Amino acid sequence: QPHLAESGGGSVQAGGSMRLSCVASGYIYSAYCMGWFRQVPGKEREVVATINSDGRTKLMDDVQGRFTISQDNTVNSVNLRLQMNSLKPEDTAMYICAADSTTYCEGWFRPESYRFLSIWGQGTRVNVSS
């Protein structure tokens, strides 16, 4: 299975922008769904954005129009990016990259879908101050 490594987190003021990156290396699925979850202490992990190997994207309602998910593929890796604009304090969270060997990303938007995923990065923290 692939190894996921995130980067790009940090602190920013409200209204600012930040880009997160997740590099998937090792064994790369020919067909996949990849994306970002976020989690704050005391709350359930929630899906933010997904993209599949066909390039189809889906974002949670709260980030529509502000966040963009994209990918660059090479023979040996997938570089997943999450461009976050117009950040709000409520976007503060640990952002965690995930992958699955299915192109059906829509299932990730069901409640508690994260419990069924097994490929995760270590996470990168995003802090948005008001």
Side-chain angles (χ1 to χ4, degrees):
Q1 63 184 31
H3 172 72
L4 306 180
E6 301 100 331
S7 61
S11 296
V12 66
Q13 288 190 326
S17 298
M18 186 178 292
R19 176 179 288 186
L20 305 183
S21 177
C22 173
V23 177
S25 59
Y27 179 78
I28 306 298
Y29 301 124
S30 58
Y32 60 80
C33 176
M34 290 186 64
W36 295 91
F37 285 75
R38 67 186 183 187
Q39 187 166 23
V40 297
K43 292 189 176 181
E44 290 284 340
R45 190 171 293 189
E46 60 180 3
V47 63
V48 176
T50 61
I51 188 168
N52 69 8
S53 46
D54 297 328
R56 178 176 296 180
T57 63
K58 186 174 175 63
L59 291 91
M60 67 182 300
D61 290 344
D62 286 352
V63 305
Q64 289 273 3
R66 300 190 297 122
F67 291 12
T68 303
I69 187 170
S70 61
Q71 62 185 351
D72 284 327
N73 294 3
T74 69
V75 174
N76 298 314
S77 67
V78 175
N79 188 351
L80 189 70
R81 291 186 299 274
L82 185 68
Q83 178 67 43
M84 305 183 294
N85 299 327
S86 302
L87 282 161
K88 304 175 181 180
E90 50 264 43
D91 294 318
T92 295
M94 178 72 80
Y95 284 72
I96 312 162
C97 181
D100 195 13
S101 59
T102 172
T103 59
Y104 184 66
C105 292
E106 285 79 3
W108 288 25
F109 290 81
R110 296 174 182 163
E112 301 188 358
S113 66
Y114 66 92
R115 299 186 185 276
F116 302 98
L117 300 177
S118 60
I119 304 170
W120 297 94
Q122 79 283 1
T124 184
R125 192 170 301 277
V126 173
N127 181 61
V128 184
S129 58
S130 57

